[in-house]
Amino acid sequence: MSRTDVQGTVADGFEQVREVFGAVVAEQDGQVGSQLTAYAHGRQVVDLWAGDGVSGDTLTGVYSSTKGAATLVAAVLVQEGALGLDEPVARHWPEFAAAGKDTITLRDVLTHRSGVIGVDGGLSAAKLADDAVIARRLAAQRPYWRPGSAYGYGGFVSFAMVNEVIRRVTGQSLQQVYDERIRTPYGLDLYLGLPEAEEGRFRPIQWWTATPEQEAAFWSNVPGPHSILGIGYGLNSTPPLDQAAFVNDRAVRANGQASAGGVGSARGLAGLYAAAVWGIDGQPPLLRPDIVAEFAQLHSTGADLVRGDQGNYALGFQAKGLRYPFLSANAFGHDGSAGSEAFADPRSGIAFGYTRRRFGFGWSYPEHDRLAAAVHDAAALHRVTAHGMPV
């Protein structure tokens, strides 16, 4: 079998998705190793994979796509009344009130408006593997801007704060709630804490391919390690965080660090969003429509202090209706820095999941637009009801 051969299945009416995925794989010469899964109204309609070292069952690091799963935990607890979005974090975690953080709410944290995106001096890779260790450092940290006055992405630390609030309120970690309430009941191939028994399915993330000249030119234009961007991405530690090595570290995978330590497949990512809005495999939706609407509502738009124009957020999720204009205004999801992508569009009925094993040069992933559009167009042309019948 050639490494550019596309494996898997598509439902009737979604053949064009296979064609577009095949074209993407051919352009990458099979060197990336990728998976694509999509649901329409809770029914799986696309399940494809191709490339080096990848099958439909392969697991790999999904980086910040982890935040989608972590946000879903928060949404379930908000739905049940266990968490209040507009309560100060310090009400449950008194130590967090230090250094002017006493009024920061869970909503501020989830929408990246807290100003707490890292710590002075940075955090080593070993410390970033553990949410509890991160939380202890964040408790004493002064925000990098006045909370609520702007927003900026805290790529590796933001959900350690969410995790600590959940632990204080429920007595369980975010990862425990996720596994018991979401992953296990819905059979999701997406882990926040990869069991040792599943290690055989894990394939490590690979760094991008570039010439020494390309690397030098790229890094010469990156802001300094103690800039807002540098702090947000952990570059202010000594040594700077090696992103490729991060999820390839067994400790990160085992802990399921809630901001970026998730491990899964495209099936797991797409299934997560399908389960949230429509339910899958006979299970009901995880969220009521009013909770979906709350978490899908735009909260932080315009220039992100860390990510610039790339940052637009709903509540915990990225605002995918702004990322992909062909989606509806309330589409929501989250991508990851190695190229994973996942989202739900409640209006069109699409749940989308994509993984790849190799970083794109400069964190660029143009295939996202093509694949998302192909799934959207197929769903629009061949509408599928929850019972799987064309209408």
Side-chain angles (χ1 to χ4, degrees):
M1 182 183 74
S2 167
R3 64 186 182 182
T4 60
D5 287 344
V6 173
Q7 304 295 307
T9 60
V10 295
D12 291 345
F14 286 80
E15 293 85 0
Q16 72 184 69
V17 179
R18 178 190 284 272
E19 294 175 10
V20 174
F21 182 70
V24 166
V25 171
E27 289 167 12
Q28 297 167 341
D29 195 26
Q31 296 181 29
V32 167
S34 53
Q35 304 165 321
L36 175 66
T37 301
Y39 285 76
H41 295 282
R43 172 185 174 237
Q44 190 183 91
V45 292
V46 175
D47 187 40
L48 301 171
W49 60 90
D52 284 345
V54 169
S55 71
D57 293 325
T58 297
L59 303 175
T60 197
V62 299
Y63 290 84
S64 286
S65 290
T66 306
K67 292 181 174 73
T71 297
L72 189 52
V73 173
V76 167
L77 294 174
V78 167
Q79 179 171 263
E80 295 174 352
L83 291 182
L85 290 168
D86 298 308
E87 291 181 346
V89 167
R91 180 172 297 175
H92 304 292
W93 178 14
E95 302 93 319
F96 187 76
K101 302 194 300 300
D102 54 302
T103 63
I104 292 173
T105 65
L106 185 60
R107 189 186 298 271
D108 292 330
V109 173
L110 286 168
T111 57
H112 303 286
R113 306 188 74 85
S114 71
V116 186
I117 59 169
V119 300
D120 297 339
L123 290 160
S124 68
K127 291 178 179 177
L128 280 175
D130 191 328
D131 284 331
V133 173
I134 299 169
R136 285 196 292 272
R137 287 290 304 276
L138 295 179
Q141 177 64 45
R142 179 169 294 280
Y144 287 93
W145 60 85
R146 184 176 179 83
S149 66
Y151 80 101
Y153 186 60
F156 288 92
V157 306
S158 54
F159 276 82
M161 293 181 279
V162 179
N163 195 349
E164 188 64 19
V165 172
I166 288 173
R167 189 181 69 80
R168 301 276 178 133
V169 170
T170 69
Q172 292 184 296
S173 68
L174 183 154
Q175 291 86 349
Q176 288 172 319
V177 177
Y178 172 74
D179 203 63
E180 293 177 11
R181 305 285 302 280
I182 299 173
R183 191 198 66 79
T184 298
Y186 288 83
L188 299 178
D189 213 19
L190 178 64
Y191 295 86
L192 304 192
L194 184 67
E196 185 71 41
E198 301 295 339
E199 272 289 312
R201 294 199 288 143
F202 178 77
R203 298 293 180 271
I205 289 288
Q206 301 166 325
W207 192 239
W208 63 52
T209 54
T211 66
E213 293 76 18
Q214 287 174 319
E215 288 278 5
F218 176 81
W219 290 106
S220 69
N221 291 316
V222 172
H226 301 289
S227 67
I228 288 291
L229 183 146
I231 294 164
Y233 281 104
L235 301 181
N236 62 330
S237 61
T238 304
L241 182 68
D242 181 334
Q243 283 200 33
F246 183 70
V247 296
N248 292 338
D249 185 332
R250 171 60 191 160
V252 173
R253 296 196 300 279
N255 290 338
Q257 196 254 37
S259 296
V263 170
S265 65
R267 292 169 180 169
L269 288 172
L272 178 80
Y273 287 93
V277 182
W278 300 279
I280 57 174
D281 298 330
Q283 293 271 36
L286 275 161
L287 302 180
R288 300 191 309 261
D290 62 309
I291 299 297
V292 172
E294 173 80 14
F295 276 78
Q297 186 178 48
L298 296 174
H299 277 68
S300 297
T301 61
D304 181 321
L305 296 183
V306 176
R307 300 188 73 201
D309 292 339
Q310 295 181 57
N312 288 293
Y313 297 93
L315 189 54
F317 299 105
Q318 292 169 329
K320 293 301 180 182
L322 295 179
R323 170 65 180 82
Y324 303 108
F326 47 83
L327 299 181
S328 67
N330 63 340
F332 64 94
H334 218 292
D335 61 17
S337 64
S340 60
E341 174 65 297
F343 62 79
D345 184 351
R347 184 171 183 84
S348 67
I350 297 168
F352 177 99
Y354 175 72
T355 68
R356 49 180 283 162
R357 284 191 56 209
R358 185 183 293 276
F359 276 83
F361 180 66
W363 294 280
S364 177
Y365 304 102
E367 76 267 27
H368 286 178
D369 300 83
R370 296 165 63 187
L371 295 170
V375 172
H376 171 267
D377 292 348
L381 286 171
H382 304 277
R383 293 218 169 189
V384 177
T385 69
H387 300 291
M389 297 298 292
V391 296

